[in-house]
Amino acid sequence: QVQLVESGGGLVRAGGSLRLSCAASGRTFSSVAMGWFRQAPGKERENVAAITASGYTTLYADSVKGRFTISRDNAKKVVSLQMNSLKPEDTAVYYCAGGRYGRRQADYDYWGQGTQVTVSS
């Protein structure tokens, strides 16, 4: 079992940066892949980024590639999402998730409660 708690969301102007963190509890964190998803009002939840259990391999949605960076610290049981050059269309509730490496929600078994990111124009 892995319990996940996100933090770091907030209000930022377009072009600004935010860093989201997801703290995990449970013994299996280092053996699960982690992902970040987001859901904007009226839209489906979409994958933003994912990282393998080892941290050696990552993937990103095309819409955030080059602007967002996912990383993890298995010793501290934390996965982070550094978001730069934010755009109003990045506004959403961001969720971290743990499970198998991939882009699909079905790949992930564990979910946090979400943190709101709002980007003003």
Side-chain angles (χ1 to χ4, degrees):
Q1 284 283 351
V2 177
Q3 292 79 44
L4 304 171
V5 178
E6 303 97 335
S7 61
L11 174 64
V12 64
R13 287 191 174 184
S17 298
L18 279 176
R19 185 176 181 87
L20 304 182
S21 293
C22 176
S25 60
R27 297 184 299 172
T28 58
F29 176 78
S30 61
S31 64
V32 300
M34 297 297 296
W36 284 96
F37 288 75
R38 68 185 181 187
Q39 187 167 19
K43 295 188 176 181
E44 293 188 356
R45 191 173 298 188
E46 64 174 351
N47 177 255
V48 173
I51 188 167
T52 55
S54 66
Y56 291 147
T57 304
T58 58
L59 62 82
Y60 296 93
D62 287 343
S63 58
V64 306
K65 203 171 292 184
R67 299 188 297 121
F68 290 12
T69 302
I70 188 171
S71 61
R72 67 188 296 162
D73 185 330
N74 284 345
K76 296 181 178 179
K77 297 184 180 180
V78 173
V79 60
S80 300
L81 186 68
Q82 178 66 43
M83 306 186 295
N84 298 328
S85 302
L86 283 161
K87 304 176 181 180
E89 51 264 43
D90 294 318
T91 295
V93 177
Y94 284 71
Y95 300 88
C96 74
R100 294 175 297 171
Y101 183 66
R103 298 183 185 274
R104 304 176 306 158
Q105 294 185 59
D107 290 327
Y108 297 87
D109 301 310
Y110 312 110
W111 292 84
Q113 83 289 351
T115 186
Q116 176 71 47
V117 171
T118 303
V119 185
S120 63
S121 57

